[in-house]
Structures are given as structure tokens and as C-alpha cells.
Amino acid sequence: MRRVVIVGYGMAGARLADELRRRDQDISITIIGSEPHPAYNRVLLSTVVAGTMTPQSTRLHDEKWAADHNIDLRLGQEIQEIDRQNRTVDGIPYDALVLATGSTPWVPPAEGLLEDGKLAAGVVAFRTLDDCAEIEAKARKGAPVVVLGGGLLGIEAARGLAGRGCLVTVVHPVGHLMERQLDPGAGGVLARTLGQLGIEFRLNSMAAKYLPGDGMILDDGTHVPAELVVVSAGVRAETSLAVKAGLTVDRGIVVDDALRTSDPRIHAIGDCAQHPGTVSGLVQPAWDQAAVLADRLTGTNPASRYRGTSVVTRLKARDVDLAALGDVHTDVDCPDSEVLCFQEPSRGRYAKLVLRDDRVAGAIVLGAPDAAATITQLYDRGIPAPTDRLALLLGRALPAEAASPADLPSSAVICRCNTVSKGQIVSAWRAGAESLPQLAEATRATTGCGGCKDAVCGLLDWLGASQPASA
Ligand SMILES: Cc1cc2nc3c(=O)[nH]c(=O)nc-3n(C[C@H](O)[C@H](O)[C@H](O)COP(=O)(O)OP(=O)(O)OC[C@H]3O[C@@H](n4cnc5c(N)ncnc54)[C@H](O)[C@@H]3O)c2cc1C
């Protein structure tokens, strides 16, 4: 029997175990995770910090899952070494080894943030459930808090903490927020919206020195008070095991389309892997990679290849609706693209649409959820955009088919994180999954970022009201 050993029980490792077992009841699966908890949905940690979800409700698996699925699960164990010669990891033999070690928070080089290589008292990263527990314990109402980093995660942390009544200042080294996903215009509107929710920003600023219990000195010499510092300044692929084992490592562990490392018996998926053309640090590529690797390792489809994932980023912050997808950095004067922009900062609205050959190549949509939904559908399906571009940007051009679940084509992707189409949801409903939890169990829709929940509920209402003749 083939022995697959997975190092890392996070979102990629857990998904791979699921995918392997769905395809093969016999293959031997061992997963080793350094965290003490069963796998959980890391994407939802912002909602835990915001207090809208409990740690328990982020679980991807419960304790019984491993036993029920005949999986050898070892929690709280950090693998130290791969012996490629004898094909073992810390003595555990493998035929195929999968590295799913994720990434670790990057700590800016400010004096005092680290003490003996560990985060100093009052400084917390934002990566794990244990980090969330520590943040929650320290984030008392009225406490001044500094968040280091104005990227997606920093903003989600800041919004959650502001919602708890903390006085939050975000320190960000770039001139606008979320520069990976947003242009300066959108970053400005976002900062204004978040400012109205009580969050302050120090842009173009870096933390220089941490004074425990007092706050941060920035590089311009100013002082920002803080009882708590949350580090959310970016991540680095966790490659230490691979480096030690002599595998090829660049920014991440280098893999090919078969998700093989430079040793064909060792694979890497998720945040720790570096695949050409893939944006790392997001869950959708990790889950797509898990499906491809399961096809290959079980022999279900040995020709399966991973060719990259087009990602849609959504900010999960109460009262702020933001989606960014594809190529957002094309300028208005780019000759081969049509670029449209609309902004209404006073109402927190900004929309930028990049079209190529009449199709959506990229978009930023802030404060206009209807427009975001339509544009995402157009992007996913690769169909031409309606000619009334302005109406599209304003969210008033819902193509007739997007207006009602009944009229959506069967192929329309409803849950992007799990690539679940309307057709799959209808089939699952017809097979008896008539509630949201049952549909989530059967199709995995809503179990990623949760952004599709309303759409899935809309489909459930429609299905309940009238069984469709065809989907
Ligand atoms: C707060 C937050 C919000 C996010 N929001 C989004 C979002 O909206 N959309 C999105 O797409 N992505 C988001 N992400 C990113 C997403 O969570 C990651 O892309 C995803 O978790 C990657 O999965 P992974 O399994 O590769 O890594 P991880 O989930 O980090 O799992 C890796 C696991 O491996 C373990 N490990 C590492 N080394 C070893 C070892 N030597 N031995 C044993 N175990 C080891 C680690 O402890 C960890 O449990 C967010 C992340 C955070 C922190």
C-alpha cells in the first residue's frame, strides 16, 4: 500500500487528506501538524478577532474525522528533518512526501519587536488560532493598538479590533493601503472609509523602535501609543525543512505543474510552494493544487496538472465591501486595454474595470457589492462585458441572467474558493442537501471565505420555492 506523508496540517494539508480519501479508501495517509488543534479555516481568523465567529466554528475537521477516515493524524509535532536517502521524516517512512508547511509572519526589523528570537511581550502575530486568543485577551475596549501592515490581513485585523472598541493605528510603509490588490485611488477611498470607522493610518511610515507597554517610535521619530502591537506585515514561505534537505528553494519550494519538487518523491503545495505564475499566500491555489496532487498520488488521473489559479481577493471587514481580481494595475492610457474608473469617495465608492478584447481582465470594486458580483461573474465565465460600461461600474447593469438565481447558467461559479457551480448546488439539493449546512457538506460551497453565503441562500430559497425543470 502506498504511504503518503503530509507535513503541515493547515488549509492545504487538510484539503489534500480529504481529496486523497475521497478518491482512494486504502491509500495510507499520515499527517503531521505542529499546531495543537485540528485544521481550521485560517481565512476566517479575522472574523474570530472581530468576535463574529468562535474558534470552534472555523474548524475544517473535528477530532473524530481522522479516526473515521483511517488517517494517522499527529498534532503538536514539528518535523525536524527529511532523510531523502531512506525516505523518512523524523523516522516516519514515506513513498510520497508532501510539504504543506504554509508560511510564517514576517517581522519588520524594528528594534525591540523580538526578544531572544521571539516576539516581545505585547507583540502578537496574526496567523494562528493561538494568536487570535492572545489578541482577544489583550484587546480591551479603549486600548491603543498598533497594527503593523496595511495589506489585506492588517486591515482585517484593524477593522476587527476597531469593532471591539480599540483605538487602532495602522502603520504601513507604502503610500496607499493594500498595494498588491489596489491602485492608489482605491487605496485612498478605502483609507477614508476606514478612517470614518475610527481607524488611523500612518502611511509611508515604518516602525523603528518598540517600547514595551508604551508604543512604537516610527522612522520619522513620532510616537504612536500602543498597549498591543499586531504584526501583519506580510508572510514568508516556510521552507526551512526543504532547504535543510537540499531541495530547490527560491521564494518558496520550487514545484512544477505536477507539484513535484526537485526530488520527484517530494511534493509541495499551498503557501510554501512556488509555482510559476501563481500568486502565493492565498487559499484558492492551495486547494486547487491539493485536488491535482490527489489525482496524481492516487492514480485517479496521473496526467492531472496544475496550471495556476485566477484569484479574486475579498476583504472580510464589517461595513466595507471590497473585491479585487485579475490585473488591476493597468493604467488608463494602456493602448491594448480599455480602462474605466469611477470614484465617489464621500460615499466610499470606487470602481476600476480593465477590459481586454471586451472581457474583464481585472477590477477593483469598493462599496458596490452588486457591481462586484456581476463583474466577478463576467470574469469567471470569460464572457463579453455589456456595452453599457457605466451601468456595469455602478452595479446597475446586472445582465438579465445574473438578476435571478433561476436565470444563472448552470456553469456559473457560485463559490469561488471551492469552484462550486450553480449546477453542482442544484444537483446536491436534488440529492437531498436541502439546508445550508447540508449543502456545505456536500459541495463545500460557503466553507472558504464565506463571501458566497448570500448567493447560496438565494439559490436555496429559489430551489425551495419551485423545483427547476433544468439547471
Ligand atoms: C488572518 C488571515 C486571513 C486570510 N484571509 C485570506 C483570504 O481572505 N483569502 C485567501 O485566499 N487567503 C487568505 N489568507 C491566507 C490563507 O489562510 C493561506 O493562503 C492558507 O492558509 C495557506 O494554506 P497552507 O496549508 O499552505 O498554510 P497554513 O494554513 O499556514 O498551514 C501550514 C501548517 O503547517 C504547519 N507546519 C509548518 N512547518 C511544520 C513542520 N515542520 N512540521 C509540522 N507542521 C508544520 C504550520 O504550523 C501550519 O499549521 C489569510 C490568512 C490569514 C492569517
Side-chain angles (χ1 to χ4, degrees), residues 199-214:
I199 300 170
E200 294 197 12
F201 294 96
R202 302 295 298 269
L203 301 176
N204 286 316
S205 293
M206 296 214 279
K209 187 172 182 180
Y210 170 57
L211 306 169
D214 182 28

Side-chain angles (χ1 to χ4, degrees), residues 207-357:
K209 187 172 182 180
Y210 170 57
L211 306 169
D214 182 28
M216 294 290 321
I217 306 288
L218 304 187
D219 56 351
D220 63 2
T222 54
H223 172 257
V224 185
E227 274 180 22
L228 168 69
V229 174
V230 177
V231 178
S232 195
V235 291
R236 296 288 174 269
E238 176 49 66
T239 59
S240 48
L241 269 182
V243 169
K244 225 159 103 185
L247 302 175
T248 304
V249 172
D250 179 27
R251 280 174 291 108
I253 306 165
V254 175
V255 293
D256 61 13
D257 286 358
L259 301 161
R260 278 177 308 221
T261 66
S262 50
D263 177 336
R265 290 211 174 241
I266 307 181
H267 303 75
I269 57 171
D271 278 9
C272 70
Q274 180 181 332
H275 176 269
T278 304
V279 184
S280 62
L282 294 169
V283 71
Q284 215 182 324
W287 283 355
D288 289 349
Q289 290 167 358
V292 169
L293 191 54
D295 278 347
R296 295 182 56 83
L297 293 179
T298 57
T300 315
N301 178 7
S304 189
R305 291 286 183 279
Y306 176 71
R307 309 270 187 214
T309 303
S310 63
V311 292
V312 174
T313 308
R314 282 207 178 76
L315 186 73
K316 298 170 300 305
R318 193 156 49 90
D319 305 321
V320 189
D321 202 283
L322 170 64
L325 49 95
D327 167 16
V328 297
H329 294 294
T330 299
D331 282 330
V332 179
D333 51 9
C334 178
D336 69 339
S337 306
E338 185 186 337
V339 181
L340 296 100
C341 225
F342 160 83
Q343 57 177 306
E344 193 181 12
S346 59
R347 293 182 64 196
R349 294 208 292 174
Y350 184 96
K352 175 176 179 178
L353 187 59
V354 180
L355 298 161
R356 248 173 248 130
D357 299 327

Side-chain angles (χ1 to χ4, degrees), residues 7-13 32-35 42-43 45-46 77-79 100-103 126-127 152-153 156 238 241 270-271 281-283 314 316:
V7 179
Y9 184 39
M11 296 191 77
I32 306 116
S34 50
E35 291 185 65
R42 207 173 294 283
V43 168
L45 291 187
S46 323
Q77 184 178 336
E78 183 168 330
I79 293 293
T101 48
S103 46
F126 183 33
R127 182 76 199 168
L152 178 82
L153 305 192
E156 290 184 359
E238 176 49 66
L241 269 182
D271 278 9
L282 294 169
V283 71
R314 282 207 178 76
K316 298 170 300 305

Side-chain angles (χ1 to χ4, degrees), residues 369-390:
D370 288 346
T374 311
I375 290 169
T376 306
Q377 282 289 335
L378 293 171
Y379 178 69
D380 278 337
R381 290 159 54 199
I383 55 174
T387 44
D388 188 349
R389 312 285 209 231
L390 186 61

